[in-house]
Amino acid sequence: MNRIASRATALIILALLLVAGFGFFLVEYFTQSDNWVVHSGSPHVYNGENIGCGVVVDRDNTLLLDMLEGRTYSNSAPLRQSTVHWIGDRYGAISAPAISHYASELAGFDRLNGVYNYGQTGGVAQLTLSAAMQTAALEAMGAYKGTVAVYNYKTGQLLCAVTTPTYDPDNVPQFSEGDSQYEGLYLNRFTQSAYIPGSIFKIVTLAAALETDPTITQKSYACTGSYRIGNEEITCEDPHWNQSLKDAFRNSCNCAFAQIALQLGGETLQQYVEKFGVTDRVTFDGITTAQGNFQAAGQADLNVAWSSIGQYLDQVNPCAFLKFMGAVANDGRAAAPHLVEEITVGGSRTYNAKTRFDQPILSKETVDILQEYLKYNVTDKYGAENFHGLTVGAKTGTGEVGGDKKPNAMLAGFVEDESLPLAFIVCVEDAGYGRAVCVPIISKVLEAAGQALK
Amino acid sequence: MEQFIYTLQTARDTYSNVLVGILRYGAPILAGLLLLRCLKSLLTFRREPEIWAWLCLDDGKKLPITHWENVIGRSKRSDIVIREPSVARSHGVLTRYDNGAWTVTASDAAKSILVNNKKTRHSLLTPEDVFTVGGVQMRLEPITPQQEKKLAQLRTKGSSFTTSLWNVILLTVFQALCCLAYLMSGQRETAQTVLIGFMGLMVMEWLLLLFYVCIHRTSFEVESIAFFLSTLGMNAVAAVVPGEAIKQLFAMGLGLVVFLIVGWSLRNLERAKKIRYIAGIAGMLFLLVTLIFGTEYYGAKNWLVIGSFSIQPSELSKVCFVFMGASTMQRLMKKRNLILFIVYSVALCGCLALMNDFGTALIFFCAFLMIAYMRSGSIGTVALAITALLFAGVMALRIAPHALQRFDSWRHIWEDPLDGGYQQTRALMCMASGGMFGLGAGRGWMKNLFAADSDVVIATICEEWGLVMVMLLIAAVVGLALFVVRSAAVARSSFYTIGSCTAAGIMIVQVMLNALGTVDVLPLTGVTFPFLSNGGSSMLCAWGLLAFVKAADTRQNASFAVRLQKSGGGSDE
């Protein structure tokens, strides 16, 4: 019997194998369960393609979307239209990467309680967007295609980012393929597009020039309406004659900026564009924006000149350029933009955004001059009366796209105000002059900002 | 009852959140407490050596005989060690019987055992008989009836009736709360069946306790564990297929009958030895009948459908196989080779392979390994068997490479979450969603998944009742196995030790394949979790195996499968 009894220990080995196997699973559980629970298709977190739990509200707790029990959107049609590119539609045509990114926090997942919360209430995701500004921006954009965005350069909060064309997720329009009215309907132009910037790129060229040679402000530039490079010409619509750098910037003088670009050289220009991160992808809240493009290094003089004024192969993503404007407005240090402010589940906060600042990309001297020149543009050209008493610096642009399309109308700038530290960008496709198209749009959005934020 | 259910369900919104909030912590605490009480007494009972007789040697030395089956030999690991060169390492076996009689048996014909100077292979021994083992003369002096009576009184008692009563009360409270939680969350149409299912379970355990009281048995730990597992099985049924609650209750009832029948047949070793052959034949027949008349479901031809009634006879074969594998020491020493048993096992596994039921074949193989090792003590035999299996496996895969497909997604489920890994990825997502304490009864998603109440049942439990509960489930089965190992030291016969170890081994292997398969640590084989998985045949098998575990419980008044020791030589029937 002793022998048989001692052989019974074989059973202990079997039991140990079971315990070890389950222990192995527990290790996997504690290291990977957060991934499992937010994996696409996870029954308690997703509802088909979209997240199926929680509520999304704007910065003032206005309901944008209730994801429980199907999807219930805001009861305001303009608000639905202006936010659908951030919160997604019902059928997965428009995804909501920023919300999916926080699936775990929204579900209130933790390893102890899983996604349990008392009474089965979902989490609440508060976005940085302002519903009032979103609807104002949508209205201001009218029938144009493009995007308008405003962000707080001190906190990084994205207050307004509307993309058009858009549609009402509660009232999906019938449209056929190739219908130009709905071209790029599902695209979030703020994050997923890259535009030919036109003259707003002169801010970048000017910054590079100021960083290279601070005495450039003393120089003056001649413009006869055209500037010859080899057999080709860079032209202005009208001659600007002799002008200071400040005036050349206000005049958006192509001839003057061609001279500055050639003085800098393609390599230097390229170096600064890369340092400023204007063409880099921006990543926030699980979103990665489209990449821009700039190729001046090693190019012929003419191409370098065109590049410096936002033509040739130049492309910028609106979000990346907005962030650059944030650096210009905030002493050379941009606050990285973010969309999701905080997430609470059943009274406890599972996520809280923190402001991230990048390394300074501009010197104090450069920033001071850029700000001065940008504000001068407004007071001396675009009209301060358009900005409701706010101190604004801005630059318009007209990006020639070729073909039978009208140019892209562009505008980038900032508000110098302690209580409204805002940077903005407006990109309108197939529109015409930046000043004529974009200034009225941003004027309405900033008016709404003044009311919504003060 | 209608009115009662209606009232409950209208109160649902108001109270169900509160109930879930309480049960998340309350259920694991109750279950943990119950398990702790059971395992504490199962794993810490005192195993005092019992002296059943004295062996008086020529030189006046008296050796105590502490078992009913004792190997006499020179080897240090013999039960009675006689260090004489003329004595073989394992020379013979001294066996005590239920009626107090003793026999001596030589391990083979070459070994010399003389009883009263006559050479014998097997002979009854009386206290007057002088016998010689390898030239050493000795006499057996059994303990007197008075001593035996004293021994019976001194033997560690099984848990008291009060302890068992409290266990059943705890169990009942746990079941009542589970039932309430499902009634408040479930559909109105199925509420009645769920209620009957849980109530029936409660009635069953109280009846069993009452029966034990009538036959003077008080220990209820092993049964409590089985009922605890069954309760969570009922939870899974209520969550996934509430309409089948009554069917599952019926299966549990039948299981209990199987438990009592197998236990009764194990009570008398002589009877058990005879039944062993019947069980062996029955086990084979079950499989042959299935092979010929069986119906194929999900690729395995392991179902027997008779009218509206369907069973998996291979589950019953498992119990028969344990019977077949168990053996007394006397027999083990006389017939050392395993050939007959190996042939029998290969035939069974062959049938299962033809039925395409590889999960069950694997369990039989593990049971075979367990038995082979218990009987031979030879690691070599086990290694040989595993090698043979590997060869057979390689051959099988060469002949039928599609069998490999089921292992394709193993450890790669997240690479193919919508096809090959669907079942397990959903199971893991739901387990993670449930966290440590679950989402609450009826609030899971697992009911939408195939086999949520059987193959991947632990994910269903984890989602609604939490990972802690799953850990308790596994601890419960591991606890049973450890109890079997502990009680092996005081077992009356190797028949019970081999039987209980094999039965517990089968349970462990099933839990391993089921639970670890669900969570992708092992490939998913579709094996059931004893007592927990929904399914009648599996339930019968689990209770049948439990009878072997119960038969290993030799504590005083503990087990109905062990006869009560009254006074010298006598025992009740």
Side-chain angles (χ1 to χ4, degrees), chain A residues 1-2 7 28 44 112 115, chain B residues 79 374 411 433 436 463:
Chain A
M1 278 310 291
N2 285 347
R7 285 172 201 162
E28 286 198 322
H44 292 278
L112 194 64
V115 298
Chain B
D79 299 297
M374 293 292 290
R411 303 301 296 159
S433 299
M436 291 292 132
E463 185 187 28

Side-chain angles (χ1 to χ4, degrees), chain A residues 265-275 294-299:
Chain A
E267 283 70 25
T268 312
L269 207 50
Q270 182 89 39
Q271 216 179 324
Y272 276 105
V273 168
E274 279 162 21
K275 184 189 169 191
F294 184 80
Q295 290 172 33
Q299 295 286 341

Side-chain angles (χ1 to χ4, degrees), chain B residues 433-467:
Chain B
S433 299
M436 291 292 132
F437 306 107
L439 296 174
R443 294 183 175 191
W445 178 89
M446 282 294 292
K447 55 176 165 282
N448 301 307
L449 195 65
F450 173 69
D453 55 344
S454 53
D455 298 356
V456 291
V457 64
I458 62 148
T460 308
I461 296 298
C462 187
E463 185 187 28
E464 300 201 351
W465 297 92
L467 191 58

Side-chain angles (χ1 to χ4, degrees), chain B residues 275-295:
Chain B
I275 289 176
R276 180 173 171 267
Y277 292 101
I278 302 169
I281 294 165
M284 193 72 217
L285 275 181
F286 284 141
L287 292 190
L288 285 175
V289 167
T290 321
L291 196 57
I292 300 166
F293 302 106
T295 309

Side-chain angles (χ1 to χ4, degrees), chain B residues 293-315:
Chain B
F293 302 106
T295 309
E296 187 173 320
Y297 284 128
Y298 309 112
K301 191 181 174 183
N302 53 3
W303 286 92
L304 204 59
V305 182
I306 307 158
S308 61
F309 191 71
S310 60
I311 58 163
Q312 258 183 310
S314 60
E315 292 286 337

Side-chain angles (χ1 to χ4, degrees), chain B residues 110-367:
Chain B
K111 306 266 161 44
S112 91
I113 288 185
L114 306 174
V115 176
N116 298 328
N117 288 323
K118 264 186 240 159
K119 185 163 182 190
T120 180
R121 183 80 204 272
H122 178 74
S123 171
L124 197 69
L125 285 180
T126 61
E128 293 78 36
D129 291 333
V130 175
F131 63 105
T132 317
V133 173
V136 180
Q137 233 178 40
M138 55 191 84
R139 208 166 45 79
L140 188 78
E141 189 182 281
I143 52 173
T144 62
Q146 285 74 23
Q147 283 170 318
E148 199 171 315
K149 200 170 175 183
K150 186 112 189 203
L151 198 63
Q153 283 165 358
L154 286 176
R155 185 172 303 133
T156 301
K157 288 199 170 75
S159 50
S160 72
F161 174 70
T162 329
T163 315
S164 298
L165 186 68
W166 272 111
N167 284 349
V168 177
I169 290 172
L170 265 179
L171 202 53
T172 310
V173 172
F174 180 66
Q175 287 159 343
L177 288 172
C178 289
C179 179
L180 188 65
Y182 278 107
L183 285 184
M184 286 176 76
S185 72
Q187 298 295 315
R188 231 192 124 189
E189 305 81 65
T190 52
Q192 197 157 338
T193 57
V194 169
L195 185 62
I196 292 173
F198 279 101
M199 297 280 268
L201 201 54
M202 292 179 210
V203 169
M204 216 183 282
E205 70 215 16
W206 281 101
L207 279 181
L208 186 64
L209 184 68
L210 193 69
F211 172 65
Y212 279 3
V213 172
C214 294
I215 61 165
H216 307 289
R217 302 299 197 281
T218 51
S219 169
F220 208 72
E221 297 97 340
V222 170
E223 294 82 351
S224 297
I225 288 176
F227 278 114
F228 164 63
L229 293 171
S230 303
T231 305
L232 282 158
M234 192 58 91
N235 283 355
V237 168
V240 181
V241 280
E244 290 183 17
I246 294 178
K247 193 180 131 221
Q248 182 69 352
L249 176 68
F250 183 65
M252 286 171 190
L254 266 185
L256 201 58
V257 172
V258 170
F259 174 68
L260 293 173
I261 291 175
V262 176
W264 171 80
S265 62
L266 287 171
R267 228 164 112 93
N268 181 327
L269 189 55
E270 296 312 306
R271 180 164 58 208
K273 281 195 274 191
K274 282 176 208 133
I275 289 176
R276 180 173 171 267
Y277 292 101
I278 302 169
I281 294 165
M284 193 72 217
L285 275 181
F286 284 141
L287 292 190
L288 285 175
V289 167
T290 321
L291 196 57
I292 300 166
F293 302 106
T295 309
E296 187 173 320
Y297 284 128
Y298 309 112
K301 191 181 174 183
N302 53 3
W303 286 92
L304 204 59
V305 182
I306 307 158
S308 61
F309 191 71
S310 60
I311 58 163
Q312 258 183 310
S314 60
E315 292 286 337
L316 300 176
S317 283
K318 278 184 210 163
V319 181
C320 297
F321 188 66
V322 176
F323 244 121
M324 195 57 193
S327 176
T328 58
M329 208 67 214
Q330 199 179 345
R331 205 183 126 77
L332 280 186
M333 283 295 151
K334 263 161 74 178
K335 299 185 86 179
R336 287 188 177 216
N337 66 55
L338 285 164
I339 297 220
L340 200 69
F341 180 64
I342 291 175
V343 170
Y344 180 74
S345 308
V346 168
L348 285 186
C349 282
C351 284
L352 289 166
L354 287 176
M355 286 153 63
N356 233 346
D357 191 352
F358 288 101
T360 313
L362 192 58
I363 294 168
F364 270 92
F365 179 72
C366 292

Side-chain angles (χ1 to χ4, degrees), chain A residues 1-4 6-7 22 25 28-30 36-37 41-44 109 112-116 118-119, chain B residues 17-18 24 67 69 77-79 90 373-375 377 411 414 426 429 432-433 435-436 439 445 463 474 519:
Chain A
M1 278 310 291
N2 285 347
R3 284 179 214 181
I4 298 278
S6 63
R7 285 172 201 162
F22 201 74
F25 162 69
E28 286 198 322
Y29 180 89
F30 281 100
W36 299 341
V37 87
S42 177
H44 292 278
F109 175 77
L112 194 64
N113 293 306
V115 298
Y116 171 84
Y118 184 81
Chain B
N17 287 340
V18 179
R24 290 182 76 233
H67 297 285
E69 291 177 359
R77 300 182 61 201
S78 299
D79 299 297
S90 304
Y373 177 70
M374 293 292 290
R375 285 170 76 151
R411 303 301 296 159
W414 296 101
R426 301 307 115 158
M429 288 166 182
S433 299
M436 291 292 132
L439 296 174
W445 178 89
E463 185 187 28
I474 288 173
V519 298

